[in-house]
Amino acid sequence: MELSRRTFHALAGTAALGFALTGSGSPTSANPSRPAPTGPPPPVPSADGRPHEIGFDHHSLIVDGRRLVLWSGEMHPFRLPSPSLWRDVLEKMRAHGYNAVSAYVAWNHHSPAPGRYDFTGVRDLDLFLRTAAETGMYVILRPGPYINAEVDAGGFPGWLTATEGRARTSDPTYLRYVDEWLTAVNAIVAKRLFTRGTGTVLLYQIENEYDAHVDEPSGRAYMSYLYEKVRADGIDVPLFHNDKGRNGHWAPGSFGTGGEKGRWLYGFDGYPEPDEVPPDWGSFGTGGRKGGATASPKTPGFVPESGGGWFDPWGGSWFDGKGYAEARRTRDAAYERRFYLTNLANGITLHNVYMTYGGTSWGWLPAPAVYTSYDYGAAFDEARNATPKLAPMHQIGQLLRFVPDLARLNRGKSVRAADERIKVYHLANPDTGARFYVLRNDTGEAVSSPLPDAGIDVPVTVPARDAKLIAANLRLGRRTLVHSTVQPMVSLTAGRQDIAVFAGRRGEMAQVVLECADEPTPMRLDAEPAWSWNLGKLNITAPLGAGGLSRVRVEGDGVDTPMLVLFADDATALRLWPHETPSGPLLVYGPALLRSAELRGSTVHLTGDTTGATGLEVWGPRGITHVTWNGRPVPSRISASGSLLALRPLPGVTRPALPALDGWRRRSGNPEAEPDFDDSDWTTADKETTFSTTPVPDGQPVLFADDYGFHYGDVWYRGEWTGEDGIESLSLAYSTGTQGLLMAWLDGEPLGTHRMPVPGKDRARQGTWTAKAAFDLPEELRKKFRAERPETGRRRHVLSVLVRRMQHDMDGEALGTHKAARGLTAVTFAGGSPEVKWRIQGAATPDPVRGPMNNGGLHGEREGWHLPEYDDKDWKDAQLPRADRRQGVTWYRTDFRLDVAPGVDASVGLVLDDDPGRAYRVQIFLNGWNMGQYINDVGPQHTFVLPNGILRTRGANTLALAVLSDGTTPSGPRDVRLALLGAAAGGVPVTAV
Ligand code: GAL
């Protein structure tokens, strides 16, 4: 239940009337009659059909003549393979105060082969851009061509790893492919530019963290080339680059050609460690080699990536992934306040948090560094749930939207707190005189201190390792805030009253001082607030969070419009939803999410989510007397605070029950290991040259999988020879990404499994991921060789090798290492020197819907065993867990039905769990979609999010598990179950993918 004491009060009509004006004295000055300098919040962007101008100065972007602070969050549509859910995430971001979404576009996700580009289905970039425009979000688009982003090869398509030319330079072959990609992607983007009014794409990034050839002509020529190409494709919004680490790389004028001048922004990224003192990156100091934002004094402070969490590596090694709860714990709400408020204090007015919704690196998308989940510890978790990390994002985002004074700040005169453990940044708006103080406490204990320099003589509290922003001399509606000890969050006019919201930590005593020349007659609408009036100042205090929202109405002070002052703690503020409508803004209190608000006649139609029963209260434009919630009328009355107040709580959600997974069927899946397996249609591996960065070992054919067109997932080799029966051992050199492995069979007998060792802390070894698997032939096999001689005396032998190659190197340093070999590299024998004829087999032709990264080359994948339509009736029934020890691949399938009620957004995950001693791994296919890889003895991931759309929440689903076990332990899996990761009444309509 979310029903707070406050809601009960209001429902019961017991809101108390305020009284007891304390203090003395009479008005000393007339009411301040400064015009409201701020006006309504900036228009919500949409594809409105009108041309728009995007300019900037060193303070901020200037869009159609108005300053705009960009409060953006990163999400990757390619990490959420269900287009309907893009809307869900974007609506949630928008409601929580974000006005922009930043998105990489991954070349590899769209291109299965040179010249082939796919923007349909889960790749529908145009749909993503349209959805962003429909949800009122600006878009910062980042199509690379190189993106990094913890994706395979940093976003380069697999096929590019087998082409000539040096990527990330002005190499002509590479640029030819880049042209292909940019032409394809820009054709879509050009139709959705905000400048044209056909979309909301506001900014566009070229390359990413490109610092390798920055001082070389070829690097500059490359960047100039990209710039000119993007312009030639009709992209006329400002362009920028994301400088790795505040070095001043690619500031305006640095290309050497001058081409980028004028419409080019400088941006840099930062991923501070939680225990760092937040660095000054802009007008307040010098961060980085050339001073962060100060490297580009004529462009606004721009952080295209400010760390909002961190990616998590595989477990079981020195870098030991701990799971995303850890990232969310160490980079929590207080982290966000400390670092992001410091960013704002440093003049950063274009601020993007990487990630805001991390999502899933499904299929073979993840870079070697990471596992399937890319949750990132972000403000929205992978299952699309809002986390407590949204509290600061929401409060700061709404503040930036509703208090435009923050868009033009200069450094104010130096102000110190009486207790100098609080660091103070003083900022002032030269036009309005508004002042802001960012107060940061880097110590381990809460500090309370007055700020006498700022005329604040009551103590302001900043919790340990936390920060807050307070304001002074700030116009709020028709009144002026003298100062506050808590952060302002919203200022708007709804109907006949101005509303100001202040938010802070639970238990904090908030103090808000308003200029009030005439003695007011405040009305206490809730029990907590108290006030006094003295010398033209009204001093309101309220403990935060005592019972939900605390309301006071200020009136009778000679100003014709009353002002409602609302106090909220973090949790309460997360249930307050300001929303713009064409007839003016409204403020909604209660539900877990407000998605939309539409005024028709005297009714306001709201849509959104509830997770528990909740009150509903709406302050809206005049004349609104009725309210609906998700299409249903809500009986309501007008409250003492002028709101429309629901007479009964909105219902919460009934959590759907999930079925147990049983009825498993099983089939073993590595016939390639059998000597008589027919490999006549496999590709002969006999090339002699390669464009890989891995040299071809002497005397060996090229065995690298990419050279034969197999770029993702597992690859099989079969080496055949006759004679040479005295072989005693063999050595298989191979190369994979992190957690790769190799399994070998000779004449159908398992030789063993070799796991790619995790390199030590030695950086030089990291990223190489090469090893030699040495196998001695077991005595029985040798005996067999000797005994079973055919009449010719020359026996045929087959060495079968399965390589789980994992992914291509991400090549952040632009060294070409995405072209490092994957698969076998060399095979040598002791006790004989056979002439081996090699054949190779990998993934079949890419699935036209699920794309090239969905599958590798397991037999079952090639035969469609992962697909829902596959008929498995001749498979054996199986109980989990299986106790046998067997090297190889075993497939399991089951079907299950879900019956989630319409109107319920259930987020479901698949959980795998077992004794961590068992050496096996599982590829998870839901309805044919590769939802990731579980490695039982490595971890840390156990829960795999199954996105609705791929998951049929009302209907039948097929789960297929491809289990690779190394034969040294009993194989798994043991526990396989569905888990409810989130549930809300509401959600968005979901179309099946
Ligand atoms: C940044 C990079 C991103 C991503 C991030 C770490 O430096 O630009 O693409 O890799 O680091 O998650």
Side-chain angles (χ1 to χ4, degrees):
M1 284 286 276
E2 282 177 5
L3 208 60
S4 69
R5 173 176 65 74
R6 185 59 45 235
T7 321
F8 276 125
H9 262 312
L11 290 170
T14 55
L17 289 189
F19 57 95
L21 253 180
T22 54
S24 60
S26 51
T28 52
S29 63
N31 263 313
S33 55
R34 274 203 273 147
T38 51
V44 177
S46 65
D48 59 7
R50 286 195 287 269
H52 297 281
E53 266 182 33
I54 310 168
F56 53 82
D57 64 10
H58 76 283
H59 285 292
S60 72
L61 289 177
I62 300 172
V63 174
D64 299 330
R66 280 189 74 128
R67 291 196 176 278
L68 175 72
V69 180
L70 225 50
W71 188 245
S72 170
E74 183 91 8
M75 81 168 279
H76 298 150
F78 55 86
R79 282 187 158 118
L80 183 52
S82 177
S84 312
L85 299 183
W86 298 341
R87 179 178 297 276
D88 179 58
V89 175
L90 291 169
E91 285 183 353
K92 283 173 174 164
M93 285 174 62
R94 168 80 197 152
H96 284 91
Y98 297 83
N99 59 8
V101 59
S102 165
Y104 281 132
V105 193
W107 184 357
N108 54 10
H109 179 65
H110 294 276
S111 182
R116 283 179 46 206
Y117 291 92
D118 180 359
F119 290 93
T120 62
V122 299
R123 297 170 172 74
D124 193 342
L125 177 64
D126 189 58
L127 176 60
F128 178 76
L129 298 178
R130 284 192 331 259
T131 309
E134 284 164 18
T135 47
M137 298 284 274
Y138 287 113
V139 179
I140 304 172
L141 207 68
R142 317 200 290 151
Y146 179 82
I147 62 170
N148 210 65
E150 287 75 68
V151 295
D152 185 285
F156 285 150
W159 57 259
L160 191 77
T161 67
T163 59
E164 197 176 0
R166 182 69 182 270
R168 306 188 72 189
T169 67
S170 54
D171 178 288
T173 312
Y174 168 67
L175 290 184
R176 214 176 57 233
Y177 293 123
V178 164
D179 272 359
E180 258 185 39
W181 163 240
L182 290 179
T183 301
V185 71
N186 289 343
I188 292 166
V189 182
K191 287 189 290 184
R192 301 292 164 213
L193 297 172
F194 190 61
T195 42
R196 301 193 187 164
T198 47
T200 51
V201 176
L202 190 73
L203 304 173
Y204 181 115
Q205 178 183 323
I206 57 174
E207 252 283 350
N208 188 61
E209 289 196 323
Y210 184 61
D211 67 349
H213 309 290
V214 67
D215 296 324
E216 296 161 24
S218 83
R220 290 199 291 271
Y222 171 45
M223 287 292 278
S224 290
Y225 185 90
L226 295 179
Y227 183 94
E228 299 300 343
K229 164 68 181 154
V230 169
R231 287 289 184 231
D233 286 344
I235 308 299
D236 59 1
V237 300
L239 306 186
F240 69 99
H241 176 71
N242 173 36
D243 177 17
K244 185 198 277 181
R246 310 171 295 288
N247 292 306
H249 294 156
W250 311 114
S254 56
F255 290 14
T257 60
E260 83 284 10
K261 274 190 193 137
R263 313 267 299 142
W264 176 257
L265 296 171
Y266 172 67
F268 59 92
D269 62 14
Y271 289 83
E273 290 295 325
D275 55 6
E276 262 178 57
V277 170
D280 286 327
W281 283 343
S283 53
F284 263 87
T286 53
R289 189 148 62 90
K290 291 187 189 154
T294 50
S296 180
K298 293 198 174 135
T299 59
F302 184 6
V303 180
E305 293 180 18
S306 191
W310 190 240
F311 62 81
D312 199 40
W314 289 102
S317 61
W318 64 268
F319 45 65
D320 209 10
K322 292 185 175 57
Y324 282 110
E326 181 69 4
R328 199 165 274 117
R329 187 184 67 76
T330 54
R331 289 160 170 90
D332 60 357
Y335 172 97
E336 296 177 314
R337 282 188 290 267
R338 285 174 73 226
F339 288 93
Y340 306 162
L341 287 176
T342 303
N343 288 347
L344 293 179
N346 274 274
I348 306 295
T349 57
L350 291 85
H351 193 268
N352 178 52
V353 175
Y354 188 105
M355 298 295 297
T356 291
Y357 170 77
T360 308
S361 305
W362 57 283
W364 291 101
L365 182 67
V370 293
Y371 49 86
T372 303
S373 173
Y374 199 66
D375 175 281
Y376 218 80
F380 294 99
D381 71 17
E382 189 186 357
R384 298 177 288 112
N385 296 303
T387 73
K389 287 183 65 166
L390 278 160
M393 304 313 292
H394 185 62
Q395 289 164 30
I396 300 170
Q398 308 296 358
L399 173 72
L400 294 170
R401 178 179 298 169
F402 287 94
V403 179
D405 307 60
L406 285 138
R408 183 162 184 240
L409 296 179
N410 292 325
R411 188 176 180 171
K413 76 173 175 18
S414 157
V415 163
R416 282 176 313 177
D419 186 328
E420 291 197 16
R421 288 176 298 170
I422 295 184
K423 178 169 171 80
V424 184
Y425 295 85
H426 175 196
L427 304 139
N429 183 308
D431 307 323
T432 67
R435 297 194 305 274
F436 298 93
Y437 304 97
V438 169
L439 311 179
R440 200 179 70 224
N441 173 6
D442 295 320
T443 77
E445 56 189 306
V447 178
S448 292
S449 170
L451 297 162
D453 297 356
I456 302 178
D457 40 19
V458 292
V460 184
T461 304
V462 187
R465 306 180 67 74
D466 207 329
K468 63 159 60 162
L469 177 146
I470 61 173
N473 196 38
L474 174 66
R475 194 78 182 154
L476 297 173
R478 289 159 188 80
R479 290 175 180 74
T480 298
L481 173 74
V482 179
H483 57 71
S484 63
T485 64
V486 287
Q487 198 164 302
M489 170 175 158
V490 174
S491 167
L492 54 79
T493 303
R496 289 188 185 78
Q497 59 191 353
D498 294 332
I499 301 180
V501 182
F502 293 85
R505 310 296 80 73
R506 170 164 287 226
E508 198 173 351
M509 181 57 83
Q511 189 183 69
V512 166
V513 182
L514 295 173
E515 274 182 20
C516 229
D518 292 346
E519 182 167 346
T521 51
M523 181 192 273
R524 177 187 294 136
L525 300 156
D526 293 294
E528 299 81 17
W531 56 79
S532 62
W533 179 79
N534 194 5
L535 298 173
K537 288 186 180 135
L538 175 67
N539 186 344
I540 311 172
T541 56
L544 297 185
L549 201 59
S550 298
R551 310 157 177 82
V552 181
R553 186 151 72 194
V554 178
E555 55 198 341
D557 56 349
V559 181
D560 54 7
T561 305
M563 178 185 221
L564 187 64
V565 183
L566 304 178
F567 295 92
D569 69 348
D570 289 334
T572 305
L574 279 173
R575 297 169 56 201
L576 273 174
W577 309 106
H579 197 96
E580 298 94 336
T581 76
S583 324
L586 45 82
L587 182 67
V588 175
Y589 174 51
L593 179 72
L594 179 74
R595 294 181 186 270
S596 70
E598 207 188 312
L599 303 174
R600 267 180 272 138
S602 58
T603 303
V604 54
H605 300 274
L606 306 176
T607 68
D609 292 4
T610 58
T611 50
T614 174
L616 175 70
E617 189 165 7
V618 186
W619 292 271
R622 292 175 194 202
I624 299 298
T625 52
H626 290 80
V627 56
T628 70
W629 178 255
N630 289 340
R632 294 223 176 91
V634 178
S636 62
R637 65 171 175 83
I638 306 285
S639 76
S641 75
S643 63
L644 259 185
L645 188 64
L647 296 177
R648 283 190 299 278
L650 302 178
V653 66
T654 309
R655 290 167 67 84
L658 300 175
L661 298 175
D662 45 25
W664 291 98
R665 295 170 301 281
R666 176 178 64 91
R667 178 162 179 185
S668 56
N670 50 282
E672 299 92 335
E674 298 304 325
D676 298 333
F677 178 82
D678 178 8
D679 61 14
S680 55
D681 61 346
W682 287 24
T683 308
T684 305
D686 59 357
K687 291 193 177 178
E688 290 169 9
T689 57
T690 176
F691 296 121
S692 168
T693 48
T694 305
V696 184
D698 280 349
Q700 300 278 338
V702 175
L703 293 173
F704 315 158
D706 287 295
D707 284 278
Y708 299 96
F710 303 121
H711 305 300
Y712 302 109
D714 296 310
V715 57
W716 276 95
Y717 295 85
R718 282 169 58 92
E720 203 185 313
W721 70 90
T722 45
E724 298 295 327
D725 303 323
I727 293 192
E728 287 154 12
S729 67
L730 43 93
S731 161
L732 305 163
Y734 71 116
S735 169
T736 70
T738 320
Q739 300 300 342
L741 62 70
L742 170 154
M743 291 180 173
W745 292 259
L746 184 58
D747 296 346
E749 297 296 328
L751 292 177
T753 297
H754 186 273
R755 294 177 64 156
M756 181 59 64
V758 176
K761 281 195 176 170
D762 170 14
R763 270 196 71 80
R765 287 241 346 118
Q766 288 166 35
T768 55
W769 300 102
T770 55
K772 271 191 187 146
F775 298 113
D776 290 331
L777 264 56
E779 188 46 40
E780 306 89 86
L781 202 57
R782 285 198 230 171
K783 269 197 215 136
K784 202 165 142 194
F785 270 30
R786 288 192 294 267
E788 294 176 8
R789 281 188 178 274
E791 276 158 28
T792 58
R794 288 175 62 78
R795 198 178 128 83
R796 172 178 164 269
H797 298 293
V798 181
L799 174 64
S800 300
V801 183
L802 170 62
V803 183
R804 172 139 300 178
R805 37 178 285 154
M806 304 299 279
Q807 290 86 346
H808 299 95
D809 192 76
M810 206 162 57
D811 199 10
E813 314 288 320
L815 300 171
T817 54
H818 60 285
K819 291 184 171 178
R822 289 295 181 256
L824 282 181
T825 54
V827 182
T828 51
F829 300 83
S833 18
E835 266 188 36
V836 185
K837 187 176 169 223
W838 285 105
R839 287 178 188 272
I840 181 171
Q841 182 67 294
T845 318
D847 182 320
V849 175
R850 300 174 181 90
M853 303 174 92
N854 194 63
N855 291 104
L858 292 180
H859 180 75
E861 290 177 280
R862 298 183 54 85
E863 297 291 314
W865 296 359
H866 59 297
L867 296 172
E869 55 270 25
Y870 176 79
D871 184 357
D872 60 15
K873 68 175 178 310
D874 57 348
W875 288 26
K876 293 193 192 93
D877 288 344
Q879 296 293 323
L880 301 183
R882 294 269 306 162
D884 61 344
R885 291 168 193 251
R886 176 177 174 273
Q887 170 179 304
V889 189
T890 311
W891 284 74
Y892 296 86
R893 283 171 59 101
T894 191
D895 301 314
F896 64 92
R897 289 192 73 83
L898 292 183
D899 188 19
V900 177
V904 171
D905 179 6
S907 187
V908 177
L910 184 76
V911 180
L912 291 111
D913 214 350
D914 204 342
D915 167 2
R918 290 183 169 207
Y920 71 88
R921 54 183 66 194
V922 183
Q923 293 251 97
I924 300 162
F925 293 94
L926 173 69
N927 297 329
W929 294 80
N930 182 344
M931 299 282 68
Q933 180 169 198
Y934 169 75
I935 307 188
N936 182 60
D937 51 349
V938 171
Q941 185 174 6
H942 287 270
T943 301
F944 293 77
V945 173
L946 308 175
N948 298 344
I950 287 180
L951 182 73
R952 310 283 188 254
T953 54
R954 293 178 64 70
N957 295 279
T958 302
L959 194 61
L961 306 178
V963 181
L964 227 68
S965 38
D966 75 4
T968 59
T969 68
S971 65
R974 189 186 68 193
D975 303 337
V976 184
R977 61 173 193 274
L978 298 173
L980 190 64
L981 306 176
V988 293
V990 175
T991 308
V993 177

